[in-house]
Amino acid sequence: MNRNKKGKNRKLFKKKSHSNNRLGCIIAIIVLIPILFGVYLYCQQINIQKNNEPQTDTSFQIPPGKDLETPVSLVPRQEQIIRHSGYTVSYNKDLKIPNWVSYELTREETKGKEKRGNRFIADPLVTGPIATNADYTRSGYDKGHMAPAADMKWSPEAMKESFYFSNMCPQHPQLNRRGWKNLEEKIRNWAIADSAIIIIGGPIIEKHPKTIGKNKVVVPQKFFKVVLSPFVKPMRAIGFLFNNEQAVEPLSSYAVTIDSIESLTNMDFFAPLPDEIENKIEADINYSLWPN
């Protein structure tokens, strides 16, 4: 083959190579476009989910020597503060029921496997009279847990303590088994979603309460719970108020401000919080802000 023909063949081969390369690049771009677009959409979805999730705030520090679980009493009252492994109780020996019960529930604690106990017994740390099973027998009232047994599944000791009579109040059966139970279940969901929840609950005693049993255990007219989610941004808190009667309405209908419960109980909840935060969250009643 002469040199001119060889040169022409080389030029033709180069042109074909360049064409093939351009075609390959175009095909690669066409293939990559939907892949890259898919990656972009996936990243966008992840960002949306992260923005919708509660953000934990570990920067908040409770002042030394203070704790968010202990309310401040604004009036004198009979009480014995007892700290158990699963909850703290302010026990009133005159009423034979607690003034309040408080505890923190964490996400990990909701995963406990301890089986429910059913042995209601006297609190060995109580000094003074306390209710017995006989007081509740045929009274028409349930032994209503203030700190529920289902929140104490993380420890055999905590489960046992949850059945102390210092943690019980006479509750209408259709409150204890309906509205009160529904709120307890909802709070467990909030603990899972928000990493930790602080709960304070108890009875509200108005004038001339009735009593049950030989020990004259006082029957509350109302019950309250206040709930704080301290490690989310923004911090949230909400109160719930129930009459001691059948409670079958949606939980949102029992939601109230913590300020209103403070007025009824003469207690100051979450006092260690900075005033600007405490004032804001305790005036809020937006149930829709809480995880479903």
Side-chain angles (χ1 to χ4, degrees):
M1 184 181 295
N2 60 41
R3 290 180 180 177
N4 289 338
K5 195 168 184 178
K6 285 182 180 179
K8 286 181 181 180
N9 286 341
R10 287 195 192 99
K11 289 178 182 179
L12 183 61
F13 177 76
K14 286 181 181 180
K15 285 182 180 180
K16 286 182 179 180
S17 296
H18 288 313
S19 298
N20 289 338
N21 288 340
R22 282 198 297 270
L23 182 60
C25 289
I26 292 170
I27 292 171
I29 291 170
I30 292 171
V31 171
L32 284 173
I33 285 174
I35 295 173
L36 293 173
F37 186 65
V39 171
Y40 169 78
L41 291 178
Y42 176 76
C43 292
Q44 289 291 100
Q45 186 64 31
I46 292 295
N47 288 334
I48 291 171
Q49 289 176 356
K50 284 184 178 179
N51 290 335
N52 289 337
E53 289 177 355
Q55 298 180 21
T56 57
D57 179 12
T58 57
S59 63
F60 173 71
Q61 296 293 322
I62 299 170
K66 300 287 186 179
D67 71 270
L68 292 171
E69 297 175 35
T70 303
V72 176
S73 182
L74 303 178
V75 296
R77 72 184 73 216
Q78 205 296 315
E79 71 172 350
Q80 178 190 356
I81 302 293
I82 304 171
R83 299 188 184 278
H84 292 303
S85 62
Y87 63 90
T88 298
V89 56
S90 165
Y91 179 71
N92 190 318
K93 67 180 181 181
D94 294 339
L95 306 177
K96 289 86 178 182
I97 57 175
N99 296 311
W100 51 263
V101 172
S102 70
Y103 62 103
E104 180 187 49
L105 181 64
T106 67
R107 181 182 293 148
E108 284 303 310
E109 287 171 344
T110 65
K111 301 174 184 177
K113 301 298 183 182
E114 185 66 24
K115 291 183 178 179
R116 175 186 171 91
N118 268 313
R119 186 165 173 259
F120 294 87
I121 58 175
D123 186 334
L125 299 182
V126 162
T127 57
I130 193 167
T132 67
N133 278 297
D135 291 315
Y136 283 85
T137 301
R138 292 187 293 276
S139 68
Y141 291 95
D142 283 359
K143 296 182 279 280
H145 286 72
M146 296 299 98
D151 288 356
M152 305 296 158
K153 295 184 296 184
W154 49 273
S155 158
E157 183 181 10
M159 177 60 73
K160 177 184 177 181
E161 292 168 347
S162 73
F163 284 88
Y164 288 164
F165 276 104
S166 58
N167 185 39
M168 302 298 148
C169 287
Q171 272 190 336
H172 189 287
Q174 291 304 309
L175 169 61
N176 183 41
R177 306 171 198 181
R178 299 292 294 274
W180 196 252
K181 181 182 178 183
N182 293 342
L183 179 56
E184 291 170 345
E185 291 172 349
K186 182 62 71 173
I187 287 171
R188 279 190 283 279
N189 291 337
W190 293 343
I192 293 168
D194 292 357
S195 80
I197 293 289
I198 293 172
I199 308 106
I200 307 172
I204 294 175
I205 311 300
E206 298 173 340
K207 291 181 179 179
H208 311 300
K210 65 182 291 189
T211 63
I212 59 171
K214 185 184 293 185
N215 287 304
K216 298 188 181 304
V217 181
V218 168
V219 178
Q221 288 95 341
K222 300 178 187 292
F223 289 93
F224 74 89
K225 275 190 192 285
V226 294
V227 184
L228 174 68
S229 184
F231 302 117
V232 297
K233 291 183 179 180
M235 191 180 295
R236 292 192 303 266
I238 195 168
F240 293 88
L241 185 66
F242 297 87
N243 290 323
N244 195 4
E245 60 187 28
Q246 177 174 279
V248 295
E249 300 300 318
L251 279 178
S252 58
S253 64
Y254 301 103
V256 297
T257 65
I258 292 177
D259 284 337
S260 68
I261 295 179
E262 288 181 332
S263 296
L264 289 170
T265 60
N266 289 306
M267 288 189 279
D268 181 12
F269 300 107
F270 314 128
L273 292 175
D275 287 343
E276 63 273 15
I277 296 177
E278 184 184 4
N279 293 338
K280 182 178 185 301
I281 64 176
E282 291 188 353
D284 198 356
I285 194 178
N286 196 342
Y287 181 80
S288 65
L289 293 177
W290 292 78
N292 293 322

